Amino acid sequence: MQEQNTTTIETFSAEETLALGQKLGQEAKPGEVYTLLGDLGVGKTVLTQGIAQGLDITEPICSPTFTIVQVYDEGRMPFYHFDVYRIGDIEEMDEIGYEDYFYGNGLCMIEWANLIEEILPEHYREITIEKDLQRGFDYRRITIKDR
């Protein structure tokens, strides 16, 4: 079995989480898929906004909770931002043509990806954000694992 590359980063403010996202966006390559896991209110949108900034996207980024996917074309590569929290059935992903995004020429970010594990590509970068209130209100532990 291939050994997974795992990195854990601690941030202590929304600004640090945003900066980490910017770094991830700057390092992103066309065709990559990032999954994003974490409870509500943990900072997934802040990290995603940073990634978009790292891709040179200047328009506002918000979670596409009701549209499932939001496409941003203005950066150095397309950015496909999915929020599958409200997916009721995996067939809904077929209806929006998810394969065009997952295997496209941009960066694909999927929030709540654990809900659609069976259709994720073979290789992706899993990002998990966790709070620990004992470490402070703004503390986040962010684990990045290449799968």
Side-chain angles (χ1 to χ4, degrees):
M1 183 174 166
Q2 178 182 344
E3 188 171 314
Q4 296 175 346
N5 182 13
T6 302
T7 304
T8 300
I9 297 150
E10 296 178 310
T11 64
F12 296 89
S13 67
E15 292 77 19
E16 287 183 16
T17 301
L18 186 78
L20 173 62
Q22 289 171 330
K23 183 175 184 282
L24 291 170
Q26 290 165 353
E27 295 171 353
K29 296 176 182 61
E32 288 186 322
V33 174
Y34 290 2
T35 65
L36 188 53
L37 306 172
D39 293 334
L40 289 168
V42 80
K44 293 185 300 293
T45 300
V46 170
L47 186 77
T48 302
Q49 289 168 338
I51 289 171
Q53 289 176 14
L55 293 171
D56 300 325
I57 295 169
T58 57
E59 67 183 283
I61 304 295
C62 56
S63 191
T65 302
F66 295 99
T67 57
I68 301 175
V69 64
Q70 182 70 45
V71 177
Y72 301 92
D73 284 321
E74 71 163 306
R76 65 180 177 86
M77 72 176 92
F79 182 45
Y80 312 123
H81 181 198
F82 283 81
D83 183 333
V84 298
Y85 184 74
R86 298 197 186 283
I87 287 283
D89 188 311
I90 206 77
E91 289 176 9
E92 291 179 52
M93 293 298 290
D94 288 329
E95 291 169 14
I96 61 172
Y98 77 91
E99 289 179 329
D100 293 340
Y101 301 107
F102 285 21
Y103 303 101
N105 60 351
L107 174 62
C108 188
M109 167 68 80
I110 310 164
E111 294 187 39
W112 302 98
N114 54 308
L115 300 175
I116 59 163
E117 281 180 333
E118 62 264 37
I119 63 169
L120 290 176
E122 184 178 352
H123 300 288
Y124 59 92
R125 175 169 280 181
E126 179 183 275
I127 303 169
T128 304
I129 306 176
E130 300 168 291
K131 287 185 190 182
D132 182 347
L133 292 177
Q134 293 181 337
R135 305 279 310 268
F137 181 76
D138 292 321
Y139 171 85
R140 300 294 185 267
R141 180 175 42 255
I142 301 169
T143 305
I144 303 169
K145 185 182 298 185
D146 292 328
R147 294 190 166 273

